[in-house]
Amino acid sequence: MASTKYIFVTGGVTSSLGKGIISASLAKLLQARGYKVTIQKLDPYINIDPGTLNPYEHGECYVTEDGAETDLDLGHYERFLDITTSQSNNVTTGRIYQNVINKERRGDFLGKTVQIIPHITDEIKRCIKLLGSKSKFDVVITEIGGTVGDIESLPYIEALRQLRWEMGKNVLTIHLTLVPYLKAAGELKTKPTQHSVKMLLENGVQPDVLVLRTEHKLTKDIKKKVALFCNVEQESVIQSIDVNTIYEVPLLMQEEKLDEIVLKKLGLPVKETPALEPWKEFLRRFKNPKYKTTIGLVGKYVELADAYKSIIESFVHAGAANECEIDLKLIHSENIKNENYESALKGLNGIIIAPGFGHRGIEGKILAAKFARENNIPFLGICLGMQCAVIEFARNVLKMDEAHSSEMNRTTPFPVIDLMEEQKGVTEKGGTMRLGGYDCVVKKGTNAYKAYKKNLIVERHRHRYEFNNAYFDDFEKAGMKATGLNPETGLVEIVEIPEHKWFVGVQFHPEYSSRVIKPHPIFVEFVKSTINK
Ligand code: GLN
């Protein structure tokens, strides 16, 4: 078998240019041409993983099936490619250093001085190659986080330089930059791109392909100029113009022939043109909705939509599946109060309560669950959102006035949500929650069963607290039913109110496994229940 090819995607000029989307789009096109592809993200920060990061810092923490807390770009990779990523798809500087320091403590370096080059760069290279060798991928795309020129990125760029030198034509570098438009001058400017490529060259890396983000179409002359100054063939200077949805980017990159150019440069057969039919069908439905619905997403990080990335994308997929345009209103839970909750939530066709941690905004979320239950408004609660629905039901239906989760109130007389037994001795924060995929048995005849159409499901988790089974019978009798249970432990995974139009709370995170061409059934059914046809 031919050896694995490695494509690196670096970024210059500014952050937020969409390296993750370009990487995922290229991967999609190569996959559609018949190649086995995966993507990896290297993050230059010192946290071991983003699990301990506040969402305001770094957006959502994405959880893989194998229980790794990772960068949100992995969500894009899974949604675009319909693949399952793992711990090895996301490596941080913290993890690299931790591995090297652990080796040093074990004495593996035999008395040598441990240095950035070669020890840190060797570890980076090992993590990159590990992914290729493990599952015999044809192509591994590695996205290097941050911007060229950052101190933090230097060891990664150096590792890339070494890999190019070691593997020659099996390695290819794509550099993504910005060509800004200066309104006053009426011109597109290429200088930032030239400088950014110069910086890469100073570090010994010549990019093979340049992808230029732009708000206006690039002329031939501009491409020619960039090619000349940056040592790149003119056909390898690719335009990436702003589009309405990230899901158009693969088609745009196909038009620009990014995939063909990359394959030729790697010496791989171009094969047949990707059909991408299901993808196009998704876009067609997305752009031509027949229905409209308004859904309120209640959370406490609404100032930063990245904090709810996977949920927002799941609605895009489920909206298209229902041929429905979704007006998703992000509602700050701290603004929902006893005095105003009815007016704050009025006019919504559905309410979803987001996952979360800690006390801030919790009473607003509980009020939102009450409003949805009392007014027969379709409701989906995810993780903390499900826990809020349970607390609300306990307080207002079971008349357990001070019911709460012991996360928020340690001395509540009714801890209807309580710390899991296995969590009781845990003191360390990083990577210690109940994480990743666990089985759930779904009861027949329920909304969940109607969605999944099967008995046994596996969904991803990220929590320390659970439904307190001491109250199981009280809830069941009063009309909130446990409709999904973990078969080994009896942990309540799904609750429903059968009397209600559509009221579902899930302890797991369906948003992590919704894909463009496989929208998540829970989101699809939830959206469906909100549409007035
Ligand atoms: N804080 C809650 C728990 O740990 C919910 C977590 C979440 O929403 N991801 O159980």
Side-chain angles (χ1 to χ4, degrees):
M1 209 195 92
S3 51
T4 305
K5 310 280 184 183
Y6 293 89
I7 300 174
F8 290 86
V9 181
T10 59
V13 183
T14 162
S15 56
S16 306
L17 287 181
K19 279 196 300 275
I21 302 299
I22 291 291
S23 305
S25 300
L26 173 61
K28 180 83 221 164
L29 294 174
L30 297 180
Q31 188 192 51
R33 285 184 190 269
Y35 289 99
K36 199 171 171 219
V37 191
T38 191
I39 321 189
Q40 173 186 51
K41 172 96 189 267
L42 304 180
D43 272 312
Y45 51 73
I46 296 173
N47 305 64
I48 301 289
D49 59 45
T52 54
L53 283 171
N54 185 321
Y56 283 129
E57 290 277 321
H58 205 67
E60 163 189 287
C61 170
Y62 185 78
V63 179
T64 57
E65 183 81 40
D66 67 344
E69 297 178 291
T70 70
D71 186 79
L72 59 80
D73 270 338
L74 271 75
H76 289 309
Y77 306 162
E78 294 208 1
R79 289 188 282 271
F80 273 61
L81 298 177
D82 189 16
I83 56 168
T84 302
T85 58
S86 71
Q87 175 73 76
S88 350
N89 293 75
N90 189 198
V91 179
T92 68
T93 294
R95 192 174 295 278
I96 297 281
Y97 271 80
Q98 190 182 49
N99 291 348
V100 170
I101 291 168
N102 287 343
K103 279 186 199 163
E104 189 274 337
R105 292 289 82 181
R106 281 203 309 264
D108 290 2
F109 296 117
L110 304 171
K112 286 274 181 217
T113 308
V114 180
Q115 295 178 295
I116 293 184
I117 305 171
H119 301 100
I120 295 296
T121 48
D122 278 353
E123 179 61 18
I124 295 173
K125 290 193 288 182
R126 191 187 69 82
C127 289
I128 294 167
K129 288 187 200 161
L130 186 73
L131 194 59
S133 58
K134 229 168 59 176
S135 305
K136 303 236 180 335
F137 288 106
D138 301 316
V139 182
V140 174
I141 300 181
T142 301
E143 178 193 344
I144 300 182
T147 309
V148 167
D150 298 345
I151 291 178
E152 292 92 334
S153 308
L154 275 173
Y156 293 100
I157 306 291
E158 169 59 15
L160 158 59
R161 186 196 66 76
Q162 293 179 18
L163 280 174
R164 277 185 74 93
W165 186 77
E166 287 167 23
M167 299 205 259
K169 286 235 176 295
N170 287 332
V171 172
L172 180 126
T173 310
I174 299 175
H175 189 53
L176 175 65
T177 72
L178 175 71
V179 177
Y181 179 76
L182 285 196
K183 223 170 161 186
E187 270 184 86
L188 286 159
K189 292 295 185 189
T190 64
K191 195 71 82 189
T193 297
Q194 295 177 39
H195 280 274
S196 163
V197 171
K198 206 169 147 192
M199 204 130 46
L200 256 186
L201 286 166
E202 276 169 19
N203 295 321
V205 175
Q206 165 69 57
D208 302 285
V209 176
L210 291 175
V211 178
L212 310 181
R213 260 306 280 276
T214 175
E215 288 172 6
H216 299 270
K217 213 170 165 345
L218 301 180
T219 60
K220 245 193 163 148
D221 281 347
I222 290 184
K223 288 191 184 177
K224 203 168 150 188
K225 189 171 166 188
V226 170
L228 176 69
F229 284 112
C230 300
N231 272 334
V232 175
E233 290 151 16
Q234 200 174 318
E235 66 153 19
S236 304
V237 179
I238 306 266
Q239 148 184 303
S240 168
I241 200 154
D242 290 5
V243 274
N244 292 332
T245 158
I246 52 171
Y247 299 117
E248 274 186 272
V249 179
L251 302 179
L252 207 72
M253 289 300 109
Q254 190 183 5
E255 271 170 42
E256 293 284 323
K257 301 194 185 329
L258 175 64
D259 52 338
E260 274 181 58
I261 290 163
V262 160
L263 288 169
K264 279 186 198 150
K265 282 191 184 290
L266 286 172
L268 290 172
V270 174
K271 301 192 186 173
E272 68 272 26
T273 313
L276 292 171
E277 273 329 311
W279 193 273
K280 288 179 185 160
E281 172 61 12
F282 156 79
L283 279 173
R284 192 194 60 71
R285 284 170 163 259
F286 175 70
K287 287 184 195 165
N288 303 292
K290 286 193 196 137
Y291 313 103
K292 196 174 167 177
T293 188
T294 305
I295 293 175
L297 167 59
V298 179
K300 64 175 175 178
Y301 300 111
V302 292
E303 303 89 336
L304 184 80
D306 264 3
Y308 299 120
K309 194 88 219 164
S310 292
I311 293 181
I312 294 172
E313 296 308 322
S314 299
F315 277 119
V316 173
H317 312 158
N322 281 293
E323 301 186 281
C324 178
E325 180 187 337
I326 300 173
D327 179 9
L328 190 65
K329 293 202 187 311
L330 273 56
I331 302 171
H332 204 306
S333 50
E334 279 184 304
N335 296 338
I336 303 175
K337 306 215 157 70
N338 253 323
E339 318 74 86
N340 73 352
Y341 75 98
E342 298 186 47
S343 61
L345 300 166
K346 122 175 147 262
L348 300 171
N349 304 116
I351 293 176
I352 172 167
I353 303 184
F357 296 84
H359 197 270
R360 187 166 71 92
I362 190 77
E363 292 302 325
K365 290 183 175 175
I366 294 170
L367 281 168
K370 172 175 153 81
F371 185 78
R373 182 180 57 78
E374 289 182 343
N375 295 284
N376 211 22
I377 297 170
F379 172 88
L380 175 60
I382 298 183
C383 206
L384 181 64
M386 169 263 197
Q387 298 177 355
C388 286
V390 168
I391 297 165
E392 189 280 317
F393 195 87
R395 287 184 188 176
N396 299 315
V397 178
L398 296 171
K399 303 294 173 208
M400 301 172 176
D401 272 357
E402 288 162 71
H404 219 320
S405 160
S406 49
E407 178 182 3
M408 323 298 164
N409 177 358
R410 276 193 204 184
T411 55
T412 167
F414 305 107
V416 287
I417 302 293
D418 204 5
L419 192 62
M420 277 179 276
E421 199 50 44
E422 73 221 43
Q423 286 286 328
K424 288 195 173 143
V426 175
T427 51
E428 292 223 338
K429 289 274 182 262
T432 55
M433 282 186 244
R434 179 173 181 253
L435 290 166
Y438 284 93
D439 287 352
C440 167
V441 173
V442 181
K443 291 198 179 137
K444 287 221 167 105
T446 61
N447 282 321
Y449 195 88
K450 264 180 224 147
Y452 287 104
K453 299 184 179 62
K454 59 180 175 188
N455 200 228
L456 183 67
I457 56 165
V458 179
E459 290 282 7
R460 302 181 198 182
H461 298 74
R462 184 173 188 243
H463 64 124
R464 295 188 201 281
Y465 294 81
E466 63 176 337
F467 180 91
N468 184 344
N469 278 334
Y471 298 95
F472 194 97
D473 292 340
D474 298 331
F475 277 79
E476 288 269 328
K477 269 185 223 137
M480 181 178 267
K481 309 273 180 190
T483 61
L485 296 175
N486 178 288
E488 273 112 53
T489 62
L491 183 144
V492 174
E493 293 278 9
I494 311 175
V495 296
E496 294 186 29
I497 301 177
E499 291 298 302
H500 188 281
K501 189 171 176 198
W502 202 92
F503 193 104
V504 175
V506 289
Q507 183 56 74
F508 49 79
H509 293 262
E511 72 274 23
Y512 293 143
S513 44
S514 181
R515 278 99 194 257
V516 176
I517 55 168
K518 264 190 223 151
H520 195 288
I522 287 286
F523 280 90
V524 173
E525 288 299 304
F526 173 50
V527 170
K528 193 186 282 171
S529 73
T530 71
I531 304 172
N532 295 315
K533 289 196 178 163

